[in-house]
Amino acid sequence: MSAQGAGARRPIKLGVLISGSGTNLQAIIDRIAAGALDATIEMVISSRPSAYGLKRAEDAGIQTMTLSKEIYADPIQADEVIATALRARGVDYVIMAGYMRMVHAPILRAFENHVVNLHPALLPSFKGAHAIQDAFDRGVKVTGVTVHFADDRYDCGPIIAQRALSVGEDWSVAELEEHIHTLEHELYPDVIQLLSEGRVHVGADGRVSVDE
């Protein structure tokens, strides 16, 4: 299926899930503000009430919601609330931007092949929450970032796009992290624009193709 449908003209509506500082959220906000991304952010939802990304959203006039683990300990219940809120806002895509909780059936069913995640490594290498440190510890010469559709497993959904990064021999892990984040802030909005243009397709076999 097409991610939005061939020939779609209107900006796509995004719901963004965050847990932390929200730098990728800010990159998307900035790209939209610059007129270089055909999208609107309808709601930002955080798993942590202290997430700085909430302030970024509020500063941009975007509606926010927080579902902390202390109140929504049951992840299925939390995802039911999220799915309901995003459907009510007419969201086309769920964009995971540093979201540290796994998404489950209520979201995946409501937004089938429309839940997108960003991972700071070239999947399938270095899955998990410590991908940058793991790549650094392994001493890899090339790493990068991956944008993929999320499924019910961590970092395993169909890959939409990847961008590689050559690792400098004298880089510290902090320098590697900085370069990875710069790459993320470029690639994620680029991929969202592809989605907006209806150029991303998911085949019956689950494989992703992107129109040139």
Side-chain angles (χ1 to χ4, degrees), residues 9-181:
R9 297 293 183 184
R10 67 168 177 82
I12 55 171
K13 296 182 178 182
L14 310 177
V16 182
L17 308 184
I18 65 169
S19 295
S21 65
T23 59
N24 278 295
L25 167 64
Q26 189 67 58
I28 297 168
I29 291 171
D30 291 346
R31 190 77 71 91
I32 292 171
L37 176 54
D38 298 323
T40 62
I41 301 175
E42 298 299 314
M43 178 177 283
V44 170
I45 300 177
S46 176
S47 63
R48 296 173 180 169
S50 61
Y52 186 73
L54 290 170
K55 185 179 186 306
R56 297 180 188 272
E58 290 163 2
D59 287 348
I62 300 168
Q63 182 177 350
T64 64
M65 175 187 292
T66 300
L67 287 85
S68 66
K69 290 184 179 180
E70 289 74 22
I71 299 174
Y72 291 94
D74 180 354
I76 302 301
Q77 181 188 19
D79 282 8
E80 287 172 349
V81 173
I82 291 170
T84 298
L86 295 182
R87 282 199 304 263
R89 298 291 298 181
V91 163
D92 297 305
Y93 288 93
V94 180
I95 303 297
M96 302 170 68
Y99 188 61
M100 301 308 291
R101 298 188 77 170
M102 189 173 183
V103 293
H104 300 86
I107 295 175
L108 294 172
R109 283 198 302 260
F111 298 94
E112 184 178 2
N113 293 329
H114 285 60
V115 182
V116 186
N117 186 45
L118 175 70
H119 186 74
L122 295 175
L123 292 174
S125 298
F126 306 113
K127 298 176 182 178
H130 307 290
I132 297 174
Q133 183 70 57
D134 291 344
F136 181 82
D137 291 344
R138 189 68 63 87
V140 299
K141 302 301 181 184
V142 177
T143 184
V145 298
T146 301
V147 179
H148 66 98
F149 287 116
D151 60 16
D152 58 358
R153 301 164 296 166
Y154 278 116
D155 305 325
C156 288
I159 292 172
I160 303 170
Q162 293 181 307
R163 194 163 292 174
L165 172 70
S166 296
V167 181
E169 292 186 7
D170 59 346
W171 286 0
S172 66
V173 67
E175 288 172 312
L176 175 58
E177 184 173 3
E178 181 179 352
H179 285 281
I180 286 288
H181 289 331

Side-chain angles (χ1 to χ4, degrees), residues 12 14 28 37 39 95 187-196:
I12 55 171
L14 310 177
I28 297 168
L37 176 54
I95 303 297
L187 181 61
Y188 217 5
D190 286 350
V191 170
I192 294 170
Q193 180 61 27
L194 292 175
L195 296 172
S196 180

